[in-house]
Each structure stands twice: as structure tokens, then as C-alpha cells.
Coordinates of all heavy atoms in Angstrom, one line a residue:
R78 N -3.2 44.9 26.7 CA -3.2 43.5 27.0 C -2.2 42.8 26.2 O -1.8 43.2 25.1 CB -4.6 43.0 26.8 CG -5.0 42.8 25.3 CD -6.4 42.2 25.3 NE -6.9 42.3 24.0 CZ -6.7 41.4 23.0 NH1 -5.9 40.4 23.3 NH2 -7.2 41.5 21.8
D79 N -1.8 41.6 26.6 CA -0.9 40.8 25.8 C -1.6 40.2 24.7 O -2.7 39.7 24.8 CB -0.3 39.7 26.7 CG 0.6 40.2 27.8 OD1 1.2 41.3 27.6 OD2 0.6 39.6 28.9
P80 N -0.9 40.2 23.5 CA -1.5 39.5 22.3 C -1.7 38.0 22.5 O -0.8 37.4 23.1 CB -0.5 39.8 21.2 CG 0.3 40.9 21.7 CD 0.3 40.8 23.1
T81 N -2.8 37.5 22.0 CA -3.0 36.1 22.1 C -3.8 35.6 20.9 O -4.6 36.4 20.3 CB -3.8 35.7 23.4 OG1 -4.0 34.3 23.4 CG2 -5.1 36.4 23.5
T82 N -3.6 34.4 20.5 CA -4.4 33.9 19.4 C -5.0 32.5 19.7 O -4.9 31.6 18.9 CB -3.5 33.7 18.1 OG1 -2.3 32.9 18.5 CG2 -3.0 35.1 17.6
T83 N -5.5 32.4 20.8 CA -6.1 31.1 21.2 C -7.5 31.0 20.6 O -8.2 31.9 20.2 CB -6.4 31.1 22.8 OG1 -7.4 32.1 23.1 CG2 -5.1 31.4 23.6
P84 N -7.9 29.7 20.3 CA -9.2 29.4 19.7 C -10.3 29.9 20.6 O -11.3 30.4 20.0 CB -9.2 27.9 19.6 CG -7.8 27.4 19.7 CD -7.1 28.5 20.5
V85 N -10.1 29.9 21.9 CA -11.2 30.4 22.8 C -11.5 31.9 22.5 O -12.7 32.3 22.4 CB -10.8 30.2 24.2 CG1 -11.9 30.8 25.2 CG2 -10.7 28.7 24.5
Q86 N -10.5 32.7 22.3 CA -10.7 34.1 22.0 C -11.5 34.3 20.7 O -12.4 35.0 20.6 CB -9.3 34.8 21.8 CG -9.5 36.3 21.6 CD -8.2 37.0 21.5 OE1 -7.2 36.4 21.1 NE2 -8.1 38.2 21.9
Q87 N -11.1 33.5 19.6 CA -11.9 33.6 18.4 C -13.3 33.1 18.5 O -14.2 33.7 18.0 CB -11.2 32.9 17.2 CG -10.0 33.6 16.7 CD -10.3 35.0 16.2 OE1 -10.2 36.0 16.8 NE2 -10.8 35.0 14.9
L88 N -13.5 32.1 19.3 CA -14.9 31.6 19.5 C -15.7 32.6 20.3 O -16.9 32.8 20.0 CB -14.8 30.3 20.3 CG -14.3 29.1 19.5 CD1 -14.2 27.8 20.4 CD2 -15.3 28.7 18.3
Y89 N -15.1 33.3 21.2 CA -15.8 34.4 21.9 C -16.3 35.4 20.9 O -17.5 35.8 21.0 CB -14.9 35.0 23.0 CG -15.5 36.2 23.6 CD1 -16.4 36.0 24.6 CD2 -15.2 37.5 23.2 CE1 -17.1 37.1 25.2 CE2 -15.8 38.6 23.8 CZ -16.8 38.4 24.8 OH -17.3 39.5 25.4
F90 N -15.4 35.9 20.0 CA -15.8 36.9 19.1 C -16.8 36.4 18.1 O -17.6 37.2 17.5 CB -14.6 37.5 18.4 CG -13.9 38.6 19.2 CD1 -13.0 38.3 20.2 CD2 -14.3 39.9 19.0 CE1 -12.4 39.3 20.9 CE2 -13.8 40.9 19.7 CZ -12.8 40.6 20.7
L91 N -16.9 35.2 17.8 CA -17.9 34.6 16.9 C -19.2 34.3 17.5 O -20.2 34.4 16.9 CB -17.3 33.4 16.2 CG -16.1 33.6 15.3 CD1 -15.5 32.2 14.8 CD2 -16.5 34.5 14.1
N92 N -19.2 34.0 18.8 CA -20.5 33.5 19.4 C -21.0 34.4 20.6 O -22.1 34.1 21.1 CB -20.2 32.1 20.0 CG -19.9 31.1 18.9 OD1 -20.5 31.1 17.9 ND2 -18.9 30.3 19.1
S93 N -20.2 35.3 21.0 CA -20.6 36.1 22.2 C -21.8 37.0 21.9 O -21.8 37.8 21.0 CB -19.4 37.0 22.6 OG -19.9 38.0 23.5
P94 N -22.9 37.0 22.8 CA -24.0 37.9 22.6 C -23.5 39.4 22.8 O -24.0 40.3 22.1 CB -24.9 37.5 23.7 CG -24.6 36.1 24.1 CD -23.1 36.0 23.8
F95 N -22.5 39.6 23.6 CA -22.0 41.0 23.7 C -21.4 41.5 22.4 O -21.7 42.6 22.0 CB -20.9 41.0 24.8 CG -20.2 42.4 24.9 CD1 -20.8 43.4 25.5 CD2 -18.9 42.5 24.4 CE1 -20.2 44.6 25.5 CE2 -18.3 43.7 24.4 CZ -18.9 44.8 25.0
V96 N -20.6 40.6 21.7 CA -20.0 41.1 20.4 C -21.1 41.2 19.4 O -21.0 42.2 18.6 CB -18.9 40.1 20.0 CG1 -18.3 40.4 18.6 CG2 -17.7 40.1 21.1
R97 N -22.0 40.3 19.4 CA -23.1 40.4 18.4 C -23.9 41.7 18.6 O -24.3 42.4 17.6 CB -24.0 39.2 18.5 CG -23.4 38.0 17.9 CD -24.4 36.8 17.9 NE -23.8 35.6 17.4 CZ -24.3 34.5 17.4 NH1 -25.6 34.3 17.9 NH2 -23.7 33.4 16.9
T98 N -24.1 42.0 19.8 CA -24.9 43.3 20.1 C -24.1 44.5 19.7 O -24.6 45.5 19.1 CB -25.2 43.3 21.6 OG1 -26.0 42.2 22.0 CG2 -26.0 44.6 22.0
A99 N -22.8 44.5 20.0 CA -21.9 45.6 19.6 C -21.9 45.7 18.1 O -21.9 46.8 17.5 CB -20.5 45.4 20.2
A100 N -21.7 44.6 17.4 CA -21.7 44.6 15.9 C -23.0 45.1 15.4 O -23.0 45.9 14.4 CB -21.4 43.2 15.4
A101 N -24.1 44.7 15.9 CA -25.4 45.2 15.4 C -25.6 46.7 15.6 O -26.1 47.4 14.8 CB -26.6 44.4 16.1
G102 N -25.1 47.2 16.8 CA -25.1 48.6 17.1 C -24.3 49.5 16.1 O -24.8 50.5 15.6
V103 N -23.1 49.1 15.9 CA -22.3 49.9 15.0 C -22.8 49.7 13.5 O -22.7 50.7 12.8 CB -20.8 49.5 15.1 CG1 -20.5 48.1 14.5 CG2 -19.9 50.5 14.5
A104 N -23.3 48.6 13.2 CA -23.9 48.4 11.9 C -25.2 49.3 11.7 O -25.3 49.8 10.6 CB -24.2 46.9 11.6
R105 N -26.0 49.3 12.6 CA -27.2 50.1 12.6 C -26.8 51.6 12.4 O -27.4 52.3 11.6 CB -28.0 49.9 13.9 CG -29.4 50.1 13.8 CD -30.3 49.7 15.0 NE -29.6 49.7 16.3 CZ -29.2 48.5 16.9 NH1 -29.5 47.4 16.3 NH2 -28.6 48.5 18.0
Q106 N -25.8 52.1 13.1 CA -25.4 53.5 13.0 C -24.9 53.8 11.6 O -25.2 54.8 11.0 CB -24.3 53.8 14.0 CG -24.9 53.9 15.4 CD -23.7 54.2 16.4 OE1 -22.6 53.9 16.2 NE2 -24.1 54.6 17.6
A107 N -24.0 52.8 11.1 CA -23.4 53.0 9.8 C -24.5 53.1 8.7 O -24.5 53.9 7.8 CB -22.4 52.0 9.5
A108 N -25.5 52.1 8.8 CA -26.5 52.1 7.8 C -27.4 53.3 7.9 O -27.8 53.9 6.8 CB -27.4 50.8 8.0
R109 N -27.6 53.9 9.0 CA -28.4 55.1 9.2 C -27.7 56.3 8.6 O -28.3 57.2 8.0 CB -28.7 55.3 10.7 CG -29.5 56.5 11.0 CD -29.5 56.9 12.5 NE -28.2 57.3 12.8 CZ -27.6 57.0 14.0 NH1 -28.3 56.4 14.9 NH2 -26.4 57.4 14.3
D110 N -26.4 56.3 8.8 CA -25.6 57.5 8.4 C -25.1 57.5 6.9 O -24.6 58.5 6.4 CB -24.4 57.7 9.3 CG -24.7 58.0 10.7 OD1 -25.9 58.4 11.0 OD2 -23.8 57.8 11.6
A111 N -25.3 56.3 6.2 CA -24.8 56.2 4.9 C -25.9 56.4 3.8 O -27.1 56.1 4.1 CB -24.2 54.8 4.7
A112 N -25.5 56.8 2.7 CA -26.4 57.0 1.6 C -26.5 55.8 0.7 O -27.6 55.5 0.1 CB -26.0 58.2 0.7
T113 N -25.4 55.0 0.6 CA -25.4 53.9 -0.3 C -24.7 52.7 0.4 O -24.1 52.9 1.5 CB -24.5 54.1 -1.6 OG1 -23.1 54.3 -1.1 CG2 -25.0 55.4 -2.3
A114 N -24.9 51.5 -0.1 CA -24.3 50.3 0.5 C -22.8 50.5 0.6 O -22.1 50.1 1.5 CB -24.6 49.1 -0.4
R115 N -22.2 51.0 -0.5 CA -20.7 51.3 -0.5 C -20.3 52.2 0.7 O -19.3 52.0 1.3 CB -20.3 51.9 -1.8 CG -18.8 51.9 -2.1 CD -18.5 52.2 -3.6 NE -19.0 51.3 -4.5 CZ -18.5 50.2 -4.8 NH1 -17.3 49.8 -4.3 NH2 -19.0 49.3 -5.7
D116 N -21.1 53.2 1.0 CA -20.9 54.1 2.1 C -20.9 53.3 3.4 O -20.2 53.6 4.4 CB -21.8 55.2 2.1 CG -21.6 56.2 0.9 OD1 -20.5 56.2 0.4 OD2 -22.5 57.0 0.7
V117 N -21.9 52.4 3.5 CA -22.0 51.6 4.8 C -20.7 50.8 5.0 O -20.1 50.8 6.1 CB -23.2 50.6 4.7 CG1 -23.2 49.7 6.0 CG2 -24.5 51.3 4.6
V118 N -20.1 50.2 4.0 CA -18.9 49.5 4.1 C -17.8 50.4 4.6 O -17.0 50.1 5.5 CB -18.5 48.7 2.8 CG1 -17.2 48.1 2.9 CG2 -19.6 47.7 2.5
R119 N -17.7 51.6 3.9 CA -16.7 52.5 4.3 C -16.8 53.0 5.7 O -15.8 53.1 6.5 CB -16.7 53.7 3.3 CG -15.6 54.8 3.5 CD -15.7 55.9 2.5 NE -17.0 56.5 2.4 CZ -17.6 57.3 3.2 NH1 -16.9 57.7 4.3 NH2 -18.8 57.8 3.0
L120 N -18.0 53.3 6.2 CA -18.2 53.7 7.5 C -17.9 52.6 8.5 O -17.3 52.9 9.6 CB -19.7 54.2 7.7 CG -20.0 55.5 7.1 CD1 -21.5 55.8 7.3 CD2 -19.2 56.6 7.8
L121 N -18.3 51.4 8.2 CA -17.9 50.3 9.1 C -16.4 50.2 9.3 O -15.9 50.0 10.4 CB -18.5 49.0 8.7 CG -20.0 48.8 8.9 CD1 -20.6 47.6 8.2 CD2 -20.4 48.8 10.4
Y122 N -15.7 50.2 8.2 CA -14.2 50.2 8.3 C -13.7 51.4 9.1 O -12.8 51.2 9.9 CB -13.6 50.1 6.9 CG -13.4 48.7 6.4 CD1 -14.4 48.0 5.8 CD2 -12.1 48.1 6.5 CE1 -14.2 46.7 5.4 CE2 -11.9 46.8 6.1 CZ -13.0 46.1 5.5 OH -12.7 44.9 5.1
R123 N -14.2 52.5 8.9 CA -13.7 53.7 9.6 C -14.0 53.6 11.1 O -13.1 53.9 11.9 CB -14.4 55.0 9.1 CG -13.8 55.4 7.8 CD -14.4 56.7 7.3 NE -13.7 57.3 6.2 CZ -14.0 58.4 5.6 NH1 -14.9 59.2 6.1 NH2 -13.3 58.8 4.5
R124 N -15.2 53.1 11.4 CA -15.6 53.1 12.9 C -14.9 51.9 13.6 O -14.6 52.0 14.8 CB -17.0 53.0 13.0 CG -17.7 54.3 12.6 CD -19.2 54.3 12.7 NE -19.7 55.6 12.3 CZ -20.9 55.9 12.0 NH1 -21.8 54.9 12.1 NH2 -21.3 57.1 11.7
V125 N -14.7 50.8 12.9 CA -14.1 49.7 13.6 C -12.5 49.7 13.5 O -11.8 49.4 14.5 CB -14.7 48.3 13.1 CG1 -14.0 47.1 13.7 CG2 -16.2 48.3 13.3
L126 N -12.0 49.9 12.3 CA -10.6 49.8 12.1 C -9.9 51.1 11.9 O -8.6 51.2 11.7 CB -10.3 48.9 10.8 CG -10.9 47.5 10.9 CD1 -10.6 46.7 9.6 CD2 -10.3 46.7 12.1
L127 N -10.6 52.2 11.9 CA -10.1 53.6 11.8 C -9.3 53.8 10.5 O -8.3 54.5 10.5 CB -9.2 53.8 13.0 CG -9.8 53.6 14.4 CD1 -8.8 53.8 15.5 CD2 -11.0 54.5 14.6
R128 N -9.9 53.2 9.5 CA -9.3 53.5 8.1 C -10.3 53.2 7.1 O -11.3 52.5 7.3 CB -8.0 52.6 7.9 CG -8.4 51.1 7.8 CD -7.1 50.3 7.4 NE -7.4 48.8 7.3 CZ -8.0 48.2 6.3 NH1 -8.3 48.9 5.3 NH2 -8.1 46.9 6.3
D129 N -10.0 53.6 5.8 CA -10.9 53.3 4.7 C -10.6 51.9 4.2 O -9.4 51.5 4.2 CB -10.7 54.4 3.6 CG -11.4 55.7 3.9 OD1 -12.4 55.7 4.7 OD2 -10.9 56.7 3.4
P130 N -11.6 51.2 3.7 CA -11.3 49.9 3.1 C -10.7 50.1 1.7 O -10.8 51.1 1.0 CB -12.7 49.3 2.9 CG -13.6 50.5 2.8 CD -13.0 51.6 3.6
T131 N -9.9 49.1 1.3 CA -9.4 49.0 0.0 C -10.5 48.7 -1.0 O -11.6 48.3 -0.6 CB -8.3 47.9 -0.1 OG1 -8.9 46.6 0.0 CG2 -7.2 48.2 0.9
T132 N -10.2 48.8 -2.2 CA -11.2 48.4 -3.3 C -11.7 47.0 -3.1 O -12.9 46.7 -3.2 CB -10.7 48.7 -4.7 OG1 -10.3 50.1 -4.8 CG2 -11.7 48.4 -5.7
A133 N -10.7 46.1 -2.9 CA -11.0 44.7 -2.7 C -11.9 44.4 -1.4 O -12.8 43.6 -1.4 CB -9.7 43.9 -2.7
E134 N -11.5 45.2 -0.4 CA -12.3 45.0 0.9 C -13.7 45.5 0.7 O -14.6 44.9 1.3 CB -11.5 45.7 2.0 CG -10.3 45.0 2.4 CD -9.4 45.9 3.4 OE1 -9.5 47.1 3.3 OE2 -8.6 45.3 4.2
T135 N -13.9 46.6 0.0 CA -15.2 47.1 -0.3 C -16.0 46.1 -1.0 O -17.2 45.8 -0.7 CB -15.1 48.4 -1.0 OG1 -14.4 49.4 -0.3 CG2 -16.5 49.0 -1.4
A136 N -15.4 45.5 -2.1 CA -16.1 44.5 -2.9 C -16.5 43.3 -2.0 O -17.6 42.7 -2.1 CB -15.3 44.1 -4.0
A137 N -15.5 42.9 -1.2 CA -15.8 41.7 -0.3 C -16.9 42.0 0.7 O -17.7 41.2 1.0 CB -14.5 41.3 0.4
G138 N -16.9 43.2 1.3 CA -17.9 43.6 2.2 C -19.3 43.7 1.6 O -20.3 43.2 2.2
L139 N -19.4 44.2 0.4 CA -20.6 44.2 -0.3 C -21.1 42.8 -0.6 O -22.3 42.5 -0.5 CB -20.5 45.1 -1.6 CG -20.3 46.6 -1.4 CD1 -19.9 47.2 -2.7 CD2 -21.5 47.2 -0.8
A140 N -20.2 42.0 -1.0 CA -20.6 40.6 -1.3 C -21.0 39.8 0.0 O -22.0 39.1 0.0 CB -19.4 39.8 -1.9
L141 N -20.4 40.1 1.1 CA -20.7 39.4 2.4 C -22.1 39.9 2.8 O -22.9 39.1 3.2 CB -19.7 39.7 3.4 CG -20.0 39.1 4.8 CD1 -20.0 37.6 4.8 CD2 -19.0 39.6 5.8
A142 N -22.3 41.2 2.8 CA -23.6 41.7 3.3 C -24.7 41.3 2.3 O -25.9 41.1 2.7 CB -23.6 43.2 3.5
G143 N -24.4 41.3 1.0 CA -25.3 40.8 0.0 C -26.6 41.6 -0.1 O -26.7 42.8 0.4
E144 N -27.5 41.1 -0.8 CA -28.8 41.8 -1.0 C -29.6 42.0 0.3 O -30.4 42.9 0.4 CB -29.6 40.9 -2.0 CG -29.0 40.6 -3.3 CD -29.3 41.6 -4.4 OE1 -30.4 42.2 -4.3 OE2 -28.5 41.7 -5.3
T145 N -29.3 41.2 1.3 CA -30.0 41.3 2.5 C -29.5 42.5 3.4 O -30.1 42.8 4.4 CB -30.0 40.0 3.4 OG1 -28.6 39.8 3.7 CG2 -30.5 38.9 2.6
E146 N -28.4 43.1 3.0 CA -27.8 44.1 3.8 C -27.6 43.7 5.2 O -28.0 44.4 6.2 CB -28.7 45.4 3.7 CG -28.7 46.0 2.3 CD -29.5 47.3 2.2 OE1 -30.1 47.7 3.2 OE2 -29.3 47.9 1.2
A147 N -26.9 42.6 5.4 CA -26.6 42.0 6.7 C -25.3 42.7 7.2 O -24.3 42.1 7.4 CB -26.4 40.5 6.6
W148 N -25.5 44.0 7.5 CA -24.3 44.8 7.9 C -23.8 44.4 9.3 O -22.6 44.5 9.5 CB -24.7 46.3 7.9 CG -25.2 46.8 6.6 CD1 -26.4 47.3 6.3 CD2 -24.4 46.8 5.4 NE1 -26.5 47.7 5.0 CE2 -25.3 47.3 4.4 CE3 -23.2 46.3 5.0 CZ2 -24.9 47.4 3.0 CZ3 -22.8 46.5 3.6 CH2 -23.7 47.0 2.7
D149 N -24.6 43.8 10.1 CA -24.2 43.3 11.4 C -23.2 42.2 11.2 O -22.2 42.0 12.0 CB -25.3 42.9 12.3 CG -26.3 41.9 11.7 OD1 -26.4 41.9 10.4 OD2 -26.9 41.2 12.4
V150 N -23.3 41.4 10.2 CA -22.4 40.3 9.9 C -21.0 40.8 9.5 O -20.0 40.4 10.0 CB -22.9 39.3 8.8 CG1 -21.9 38.3 8.5 CG2 -24.2 38.7 9.3
L151 N -21.0 41.9 8.7 CA -19.8 42.5 8.3 C -19.1 43.1 9.5 O -17.9 43.0 9.7 CB -20.0 43.5 7.1 CG -18.8 44.3 6.7 CD1 -17.6 43.4 6.2 CD2 -19.1 45.3 5.6
A152 N -19.9 43.8 10.3 CA -19.3 44.4 11.5 C -18.7 43.4 12.4 O -17.6 43.6 13.0 CB -20.4 45.2 12.2
Q153 N -19.4 42.3 12.6 CA -18.8 41.2 13.5 C -17.5 40.7 12.9 O -16.6 40.4 13.6 CB -19.8 40.2 13.7 CG -19.4 39.1 14.7 CD -20.5 38.1 15.0 OE1 -21.6 38.1 14.5 NE2 -20.2 37.2 15.9
V154 N -17.5 40.5 11.6 CA -16.2 40.0 10.9 C -15.1 41.0 11.2 O -14.0 40.6 11.5 CB -16.5 39.8 9.4 CG1 -15.2 39.7 8.7 CG2 -17.4 38.7 9.1
L155 N -15.3 42.3 11.1 CA -14.3 43.3 11.3 C -13.9 43.3 12.8 O -12.7 43.4 13.1 CB -14.8 44.7 10.9 CG -15.1 44.9 9.5 CD1 -15.7 46.3 9.2 CD2 -13.8 44.7 8.6
L156 N -14.8 43.1 13.7 CA -14.5 43.0 15.2 C -13.7 41.8 15.5 O -12.9 41.8 16.5 CB -15.8 43.1 16.0 CG -16.5 44.5 16.0 CD1 -17.9 44.3 16.6 CD2 -15.7 45.5 16.8
A157 N -13.9 40.7 14.8 CA -13.2 39.5 15.1 C -11.9 39.3 14.4 O -11.1 38.4 14.6 CB -14.1 38.3 14.7
G158 N -11.6 40.2 13.5 CA -10.4 40.1 12.7 C -9.1 40.5 13.5 O -9.2 41.2 14.5
N159 N -8.0 40.0 13.0 CA -6.7 40.3 13.7 C -6.4 41.8 13.7 O -5.8 42.3 14.7 CB -5.5 39.5 13.0 CG -5.5 38.1 13.4 OD1 -6.0 37.7 14.4 ND2 -4.8 37.3 12.6
E160 N -6.8 42.5 12.7 CA -6.4 43.9 12.6 C -7.1 44.7 13.8 O -6.5 45.6 14.4 CB -6.9 44.5 11.3 CG -6.4 45.9 11.1 CD -6.7 46.5 9.7 OE1 -7.1 45.7 8.8 OE2 -6.6 47.7 9.5
F161 N -8.3 44.3 14.1 CA -9.0 44.9 15.3 C -8.4 44.4 16.6 O -8.2 45.2 17.5 CB -10.5 44.6 15.2 CG -11.3 45.2 16.4 CD1 -11.5 46.6 16.5 CD2 -11.6 44.4 17.5 CE1 -12.2 47.1 17.6 CE2 -12.3 44.9 18.6 CZ -12.6 46.3 18.6
L162 N -8.2 43.1 16.7 CA -7.8 42.5 18.0 C -6.4 43.0 18.3 O -6.1 43.1 19.5 CB -7.8 41.0 17.9 CG -9.2 40.4 17.7 CD1 -9.0 38.9 17.5 CD2 -10.1 40.7 18.9
F163 N -5.5 43.3 17.4 CA -4.2 43.7 17.7 C -3.8 45.1 17.3 O -2.7 45.4 16.9 CB -3.2 42.7 17.0 CG -3.4 41.3 17.5 CD1 -3.9 40.3 16.7 CD2 -3.2 41.0 18.9 CE1 -4.1 39.0 17.1 CE2 -3.4 39.7 19.3 CZ -3.8 38.7 18.5
L164 N -4.8 46.0 17.3 CA -4.5 47.4 17.1 C -3.4 47.9 18.0 O -3.5 47.7 19.2 CB -5.7 48.3 17.2 CG -6.7 48.2 16.1 CD1 -8.0 49.0 16.5 CD2 -6.2 48.7 14.8
N165 N -2.5 48.6 17.5 CA -1.4 49.2 18.4 C -1.6 50.6 18.6 O -2.0 51.4 17.9 CB 0.0 48.9 17.7 CG 0.3 47.5 17.7 OD1 0.1 46.8 18.7 ND2 0.9 47.0 16.7

């Protein structure tokens, strides 16, 4: 598809029930397959962006998910990011 950066596209990724369901699914799988919170972050990056997170990204992911382990929020952030949207 042609790259685009319209506000409508970003709003879709932030508000779409489809994207939220996809994020929850990938987060559930990562949490199930991981032994630690750090492993969940690593698995989410691998499954969504096909790479390991940097040290800073791991720390940010752990801070975002927080004590509540809101892995679906982190997964949605990764799905809505430019790196995912414009994978070549």
C-alpha cells in the first residue's frame, strides 16, 4: 500500500475495536509464553516489529504496562507506531 500519515489512520489504530482485539490477542499470547515481564516486552517486540527491543524500549515498555501488566496497551502502541505501519 502507499504510505500515508493522515490523522484518520492514527485515530483508527487508537480507537478501532479490531486493532484493540488484535492487540489483546498478541498480548495474551506473549504473557502466556513469557516467564517474566521483561520477556513479555521482548516477545511483543518480536511478534509485532520482528526485532528485539533496545534497553530503553524495554524500560519504556515495562513502565507503560506498569504494575497492572497492561500488555494489551503496549501491543496497541506497537501496532500504531510508524515502524509497524511502514515496514518494508
Side-chain angles (χ1 to χ4, degrees):
R78 71 179 172 82
D79 293 328
T81 180
T82 56
T83 67
V85 174
Q86 183 179 30
Q87 282 303 95
L88 287 172
Y89 174 80
F90 274 87
L91 293 174
N92 298 316
S93 166
F95 173 76
V96 174
R97 286 184 182 175
T98 301
V103 74
R105 209 172 19 258
Q106 289 176 343
R109 181 192 65 218
D110 296 343
T113 66
R115 193 169 297 277
D116 289 340
V117 176
V118 174
R119 185 178 47 79
L120 285 173
L121 285 174
Y122 268 83
R123 283 185 175 182
R124 290 178 179 167
V125 175
L126 301 178
L127 307 175
R128 67 172 179 84
D129 285 331
T131 65
T132 303
E134 288 169 335
T135 300
L139 291 170
L141 177 64
E144 304 267 334
T145 62
E146 296 185 347
W148 303 120
D149 54 333
V150 174
L151 177 57
Q153 187 174 2
V154 167
L155 294 175
L156 289 169
N159 280 340
E160 187 174 350
F161 177 77
L162 296 175
F163 299 114
L164 283 174
N165 291 320

